[in-house]
Amino acid sequence: MNITISREVLLENLNIISRGLPSKSPMPILTGIKFEATDTELYMTSSNTDISVEVLIANQELIIKEPGKTVVPGKFFIEIIRKINAKNINLYLIEDRTLVIKADRIEYKLHIMDYMDYPKIDFVTLENPLILNAPVLKSLIKETVFATAASEKKPILTGVNFKHSQGNLIATATDSFRLSQKIVKINEYNDFNITIPNKSLDELLRAIDNYEDEIELYFSNNKLLAKYKNVLFQTRLLDGNYPDTSKLIPNEFPIVIKFNKDELVEAVERVSLLSPRDKEKDREITYSIIKLSIKKDSIIEISTTNATIGDAKEELIPTNIEANNPIVIGFSSRYLLEALRSFISTEISLNLSGEIRPFIIRGDKDSNLTQLILPVRMD
């Protein structure tokens, strides 16, 4: 293999390929990037068994002097290319054992890995795609993935469930303590019900961060492939049936409180500075407990009591309130803040049906987004 390529083009594609590189792997070969140069095209592949990524480079910034195949140590190769300042980079093999990287007066020699040891990656057949605009897919991920479970005790909850039915694409995430659901209208397509690992969605989100055009999605029984530009991004799917969450969302809300979102976020952030950190037994993480009270004069008080540090409270004037009786409800401030930040709306509403029943958050400009949080008993 002997190629010359624009450093800018190479680095841009390596940043995408890096999404599939494992930090650790029982298969050392997977820490490498597979290169395959044909007479006119260069393929680069990475995989960590959960995610596989392939990019195809075929443009005037690439000159292939000699086709060939190799596997190079991934992280070292990427760091080298990042540090090089030259416009073009020449890559060639010596006796199929060493990769030479030359750029201006710079030269590196990397010991390559055995190409024959690299596992065959079976990408999903590119037939019958579901086509989404990138901003739509990005919003589906951003507004739900944070609500997935961190613990592997219930593996299915570590992913976001994507379901299509009657022209609606529904993305749902829950960790048993909260729920996030986004619904978008799409063109006619076959019904499906899949759950995608949260880590895969995080990496896909980073990969398409600056991409704004169409993305093609292809499905198999246990894989999902996203195709855009010159990239194939494939992830495994989680096994098992995602729980039916439709009955979790209350239908009636005797108490509806509307806030300016930014004012509520800032108040919660200030009060939660002193909130006690408790541990959720299932997740072994800390979260901050605060309480919201409706006073008789329709003033909203957000407060916390910490026996070891002190107390904090702040009063807020809602933009509107519908409530017949006073109420005190406790919940995780972190859950509330993460839910609020998923909205683009400037005004949001807290819809309550009781002190120990789940409450719903909705936004005036986010009619298709629902956030649910389970309260904490305050006795």
Side-chain angles (χ1 to χ4, degrees):
M1 186 183 80
N2 188 337
I3 66 173
T4 298
I5 186 170
S6 157
R7 182 249 181 199
E8 182 180 350
V9 169
L10 179 58
L11 185 56
E12 177 186 351
N13 285 279
L14 285 173
N15 286 335
I16 297 170
I17 279 291
S18 67
R19 304 297 168 203
L21 286 175
S23 53
K24 295 180 181 179
S25 175
M27 297 176 63
I29 190 67
L30 291 182
T31 62
I33 299 172
K34 183 175 78 171
F35 281 73
E36 182 172 353
T38 66
D39 291 333
T40 57
E41 300 168 330
L42 174 64
Y43 293 86
M44 294 191 295
T45 307
S46 65
S47 180
N48 61 16
T49 66
D50 287 338
I51 299 171
S52 297
V53 185
E54 181 177 272
V55 298
L56 166 63
I57 302 174
N59 57 38
Q60 59 187 12
E61 304 292 337
L62 169 68
I63 299 172
I64 298 178
K65 301 173 185 176
E66 183 180 341
K69 304 173 182 180
T70 189
V71 178
V72 303
K75 296 191 183 301
F76 286 106
F77 184 78
I78 292 173
E79 285 304 312
I80 289 171
I81 302 305
R82 283 177 178 159
K83 295 295 184 183
I84 291 176
N85 294 321
K87 181 179 180 181
N88 295 308
I89 296 174
N90 181 214
L91 307 173
Y92 62 90
L93 296 178
I94 299 176
E95 298 179 351
D96 291 333
R97 291 189 301 181
T98 303
L99 177 73
V100 179
I101 306 168
K102 291 194 71 172
D104 293 340
R105 291 177 290 178
I106 303 168
E107 180 177 290
Y108 290 90
K109 291 182 179 179
L110 276 183
H111 298 304
I112 61 174
M113 308 164 86
D114 191 342
Y115 180 88
M116 298 302 293
D117 289 341
Y118 203 89
K120 185 178 185 301
I121 308 297
D122 293 320
F123 285 97
V124 174
T125 304
L126 302 183
E127 295 179 354
N128 187 30
L130 170 62
I131 300 175
L132 294 179
N133 289 324
V136 171
L137 181 58
K138 285 190 276 190
S139 71
L140 281 167
I141 298 172
K142 287 178 181 177
E143 293 166 16
T144 58
V145 71
F146 66 87
T148 56
S151 170
E152 295 284 345
K153 292 181 180 179
K154 295 181 180 178
I156 195 70
L157 298 186
T158 63
V160 177
N161 180 252
F162 285 78
K163 180 169 65 174
H164 175 251
S165 178
Q166 300 178 340
N168 289 321
L169 178 56
I170 307 167
T172 305
T174 182
D175 61 3
S176 298
F177 301 98
R178 56 177 167 176
L179 178 142
S180 176
Q181 186 175 87
K182 175 76 177 277
I183 303 174
V184 298
K185 292 285 186 182
I186 64 172
N187 295 329
E188 187 175 329
Y189 193 78
N190 301 332
D191 286 356
F192 59 83
N193 190 332
I194 62 174
T195 305
I196 307 172
N198 50 19
K199 293 179 182 178
S200 297
L201 290 172
D202 286 338
E203 294 299 340
L204 177 59
L205 189 60
R206 293 186 185 100
I208 63 175
D209 183 41
N210 297 315
Y211 184 70
E212 298 296 325
D213 294 328
E214 290 183 339
I215 295 179
E216 300 174 6
L217 301 179
Y218 300 87
F219 303 86
S220 74
N221 292 333
N222 57 2
K223 296 175 187 174
L224 169 72
L225 186 146
K227 182 179 184 296
Y228 65 100
K229 294 193 304 183
N230 62 326
V231 181
L232 299 181
F233 183 105
Q234 181 168 279
T235 173
R236 72 177 179 93
L237 301 177
L238 293 174
D239 294 327
N241 296 319
Y242 201 81
D244 181 8
T245 60
S246 59
K247 296 179 181 179
L248 293 176
I249 301 175
N251 295 318
E252 297 181 357
F253 304 101
I255 300 172
V256 178
I257 315 168
K258 294 184 179 181
F259 293 94
N260 174 284
K261 185 186 73 174
D262 291 341
E263 289 181 2
L264 180 58
V265 166
E266 291 169 2
V268 171
E269 286 178 334
R270 285 190 288 265
V271 170
S272 62
L273 289 173
L274 296 189
S275 58
R277 269 63 174 175
D278 292 335
K279 280 198 172 184
E280 298 177 15
K281 295 178 182 178
D282 289 343
R283 296 182 56 180
E284 292 298 322
I285 63 169
T286 59
Y287 66 119
S288 308
I289 301 301
I290 62 174
K291 64 181 179 181
L292 179 148
S293 308
I294 301 178
K295 301 300 184 181
K296 292 181 181 179
D297 53 1
S298 294
I299 297 294
I300 304 301
E301 182 183 273
I302 298 173
S303 63
T304 190
T305 300
N306 190 321
T308 59
I309 300 175
D311 304 335
K313 69 178 180 180
E314 182 166 341
E315 292 183 344
L316 277 175
I317 300 175
T319 57
N320 188 57
I321 183 169
E322 299 172 16
N324 297 324
N325 300 304
I327 191 175
V328 178
I329 186 169
F331 49 84
S332 161
S333 64
R334 181 172 70 83
Y335 284 2
L336 179 61
L337 290 171
E338 289 178 343
L340 291 174
R341 288 171 181 143
S342 71
F343 289 92
I344 61 171
S345 302
T346 54
E347 184 180 72
I348 61 90
S349 64
L350 301 189
N351 304 270
L352 296 87
S353 53
E355 294 184 346
I356 58 172
R357 297 199 65 197
F359 65 93
I360 298 295
I361 309 167
R362 293 202 170 106
D364 60 331
K365 296 179 181 177
D366 298 89
S367 59
N368 56 357
L369 176 62
T370 299
Q371 300 288 352
L372 176 150
I373 297 175
L374 269 66
V376 176
R377 289 185 178 274
M378 300 304 293
D379 352 308

